[in-house]
Structures are given as structure tokens and as C-alpha cells.
Amino acid sequence: MSKDQGSGSADVIGRPVADAVEAVLAEDSADSRDRETVRTTLERVAEDGVVSESGIEAALAELSKVVSTPETRIEFAAIELADARETAEAEGVADLEIVRSRMDAFESRLNTVQARIDGLGPELRELIDRRDEGDVYAVATGSRELEAEANELHRAADELGVELEEFGRWLTDPETRYDELEEEVEAVEDSLEGLAGTVEGLATAVEGDDEGVTRGAARGAPPADPGVAWADATLRTRVTSLLVADLRAELADLRGWPSEGADGADTARLDDAEARLDRLGGRCRSLAERLDGLARPAWTDRFGDRLDGFEAAMEEVDPPVDWGEVEAELERYREDVGAA
């Protein structure tokens, strides 16, 4: 919660909200408070337009309900995770990397959300203590912030629970697994289409010109800064090739599923996905080679060290990929080259 919560000596109990706002603003020597924020904050502890003890009591009572809800939701998510572990064991797939890595990621998220939820109760007690000290604006501000935090954690716990339910279906239904894989392959295809368009625009900008001066050729819209566009496309192409490798590893695990091929499981869909991944891998290589061919000395001098650093970082990544970390690294390098 914000540390700038105290109302100092402002006595706002029994005042209309408009008057209470002026009192809180008057004590703010740094002029750091926003009038509208102060007004909406004080309205939380007002009844019939007047800041009151009963208004504070009602606000804290409602806040107690809001704070308790995420705990219930995270308990449901924990049950879903336990059920998923039992299902994975029963299906004989708990040791498959594709299953183990997803399970570990869910557990990490659950522990993170649980730890934050565990902190809500102490924060509520701190607010109650501030109320006993007569710090009305601090209580109102803390109430607003704690409610927002509790609602955020409620959403996070619900989202985790829904994803775990879907994971349970993924564990038991081959069609669900195949559908997900095909959707991911299609997403890569779309991404590569976009990259190909970027590379065509870059080629338009530099075609036939060793210095990279825009010639206005007709193949595509040239980028405003061809060097930045080249570095950005190089970064994104590398990540896309890693995504293809990750999907290949996922496909291999799906082929190793104990029930694969039984009960009419459609292995032809996996064969089709593999063929599509072969084509995507080839497109990634072609784009990387095209970008190398388009490179200009000024660009490699400007961006070479950073691209080498990103390549070294990606060389350390093996499937199954932690895409949160990879995407964060990509955005860091994109910002570094001026593309973000």
C-alpha cells in the first residue's frame, strides 16, 4: 500500500465530503494529492455524503469480505492442481517433459499468488490499527488500495483455476492436445507471414543500394529506419525459430503419449503438424539468410554486439521453453535496438 496515506491533523469525521476534501488537500504541503482521487477516496467512508465512523465501519466490513474471497478461489485452484497431478499419474504421463514443465509452471504461479494472498490479512489488520489511531484518510486510502489488490488476486486465482481445468482436459483428451498444437502452429505461420512482409519492406528500402538509402521500390512499404527494422526482424526471427523448436519437442512428447495411436487417436494430425513445422523451420532459415544478405556494414557496426548477445542468450534456452522469460528478454533487446 502507498506510504502517503496519513491525513495528519485533518479532522474529517462529521464533515460533508466536499469539506473533508478541502481539509485533506489543505494539509498536503507538497501539493501531491489529486482532488478527484481524494474525493472518491473519502466517499468510501461516507454515509449520506458525510464522513462518519459508521461509514468507516461499513467500508472495513465490506473490505473484509473482499479480502477473504481470493483465499477461497486459490483453494479451488490448488484442488485443480492436485487433481491434475493425480490424472497425470493415472495416465502414465507424469514424467513426460511436456507435462512436468507445465505442472511446475502451474505450481510456481499458484505459490506466487498464494503468498500474495497470505499478505492481505496482515494489511487489513494494519488498516484497522490505523482506524483506531484516528487516521481516517489513511484508512480510506488503504481500503481502496487493498480492495484493488484483493480483486487483482481474485482474478489471478480464477484465471489459474480455469487454466488448470483446461489442463485437466488436455491430459485426458487427445483431440484437445491436437487442437492446441495446431493452433500454436497456425500462430507461428501467421507470425512468419508478418515477418516476411517486414523483410520485403526492408528489401524495398535497400535494394541495389549498399548504403541502405531508401529507393522507393514497389515490393513493400520501406521502414522509417531500415537499420532498426533489420535488427528487430533478426531478433524476432530468432525467437520464432526457437518457437518452432519448442513445438517440435512438444510434438515428440505427444507422439510418446502412452495412449497414442489407441482408440482411434488421429495420429495423422500429428503427421500433418510435423510437416507444417518442417516448412516453418525452412522459412525461418530462409528469412535468417535473407536478413544476413540484406545487412549493411553500418547496421552490423551499430547493432552487431547486441544481436550477438541475444543469440548467446537464446543458445542457452532449451525446450520446453519458459516463454515468459524469453519474451521479456526479447522486449529488452528490442528496446535496446530502438524497436520497442
Side-chain angles (χ1 to χ4, degrees):
M1 288 185 293
S2 170
K3 297 300 182 184
D4 181 25
Q5 294 179 352
S7 61
S9 59
D11 181 9
V12 295
I13 293 295
R15 294 192 184 194
V17 169
D19 292 348
V21 168
E22 296 306 320
V24 171
L25 291 174
E27 70 171 8
D28 180 21
S29 59
D31 196 27
S32 60
R33 292 170 178 160
D34 173 72
R35 178 180 297 275
E36 183 61 21
T37 300
V38 172
R39 183 186 65 77
T40 56
T41 298
L42 288 172
E43 284 177 344
R44 299 178 64 87
V45 292
E47 284 188 340
D48 298 324
V50 176
V51 179
S52 65
E53 291 288 355
S54 58
I56 297 172
E57 189 72 32
L60 289 176
E62 179 61 26
L63 182 60
S64 295
K65 297 177 184 177
V66 173
V67 164
S68 67
T69 304
E71 181 61 42
T72 301
R73 306 312 298 173
I74 201 65
E75 287 174 0
F76 290 154
I79 291 170
E80 290 289 347
L81 179 58
D83 288 346
R85 288 196 182 282
E86 289 183 8
T87 299
E89 291 289 347
E91 293 285 320
V93 297
D95 291 333
L96 284 179
E97 190 62 41
I98 189 176
V99 175
R100 186 168 60 247
S101 63
R102 293 186 185 204
M103 204 81 75
D104 289 347
F106 281 128
E107 183 171 16
S108 177
R109 284 174 59 190
L110 187 141
N111 290 339
T112 298
V113 175
Q114 181 69 70
R116 291 180 62 195
I117 289 173
D118 289 344
L120 295 177
E123 289 189 45
L124 177 60
R125 288 191 291 275
E126 180 184 340
L127 271 184
I128 293 172
D129 290 342
R130 300 293 290 273
R131 184 260 180 101
D132 293 340
E133 295 167 4
D135 202 345
V136 176
Y137 190 64
V139 172
T141 302
S143 171
R144 185 193 71 229
E145 294 178 351
L146 188 55
E147 181 179 296
E149 183 179 6
N151 285 334
E152 177 192 343
L153 291 171
H154 185 175
R155 286 190 294 271
D158 276 347
E159 181 179 297
L160 181 57
V162 168
E163 289 183 27
L164 280 163
E165 283 187 75
E166 294 171 349
F167 180 59
R169 288 192 292 273
W170 181 89
L171 284 170
T172 57
D173 179 25
E175 294 301 311
T176 298
R177 295 192 292 273
Y178 300 162
D179 287 346
E180 181 186 288
L181 178 65
E182 288 168 352
E183 288 169 3
E184 291 170 341
V185 171
E186 184 174 349
V188 177
E189 290 170 339
D190 291 342
S191 177
L192 278 175
E193 283 298 319
L195 271 171
T198 297
V199 173
E200 285 303 312
L202 184 61
T204 294
V206 302
E207 184 181 31
D209 188 344
D210 289 339
E211 298 302 318
V213 177
T214 299
R215 293 174 57 89
R219 286 184 306 188
D225 187 330
V228 169
W230 171 79
D232 185 37
T234 301
L235 293 171
R236 292 191 290 130
T237 298
R238 180 64 180 90
V239 168
T240 305
S241 68
L242 180 60
L243 179 53
V244 171
D246 196 42
L247 290 175
R248 285 186 184 281
E250 180 176 331
L251 176 65
D253 272 357
L254 292 181
R255 287 198 183 281
W257 210 271
S259 60
E260 181 61 35
D263 301 325
D266 190 3
T267 55
R269 293 178 66 181
L270 296 183
D271 293 339
D272 178 66
E274 184 170 18
R276 291 167 71 184
L277 287 172
D278 287 342
R279 291 192 292 271
L280 290 172
R283 290 196 69 186
C284 284
R285 289 189 294 273
S286 295
L287 282 176
E289 291 169 2
R290 186 87 183 280
L291 286 164
D292 286 344
L294 290 170
R296 297 298 184 263
W299 303 350
T300 54
D301 289 345
R302 183 180 173 190
F303 300 113
D305 288 346
R306 279 162 285 185
L307 295 181
D308 288 345
F310 186 72
E311 176 62 29
M314 293 302 98
E315 286 291 340
E316 297 296 318
V317 179
D318 293 315
V321 175
D322 183 335
W323 284 105
E325 290 186 7
V326 169
E327 288 170 2
E329 193 79 347
L330 173 63
E331 287 309 304
R332 185 170 73 84
Y333 274 89
R334 291 189 73 229
E335 182 175 353
D336 200 26
V337 302

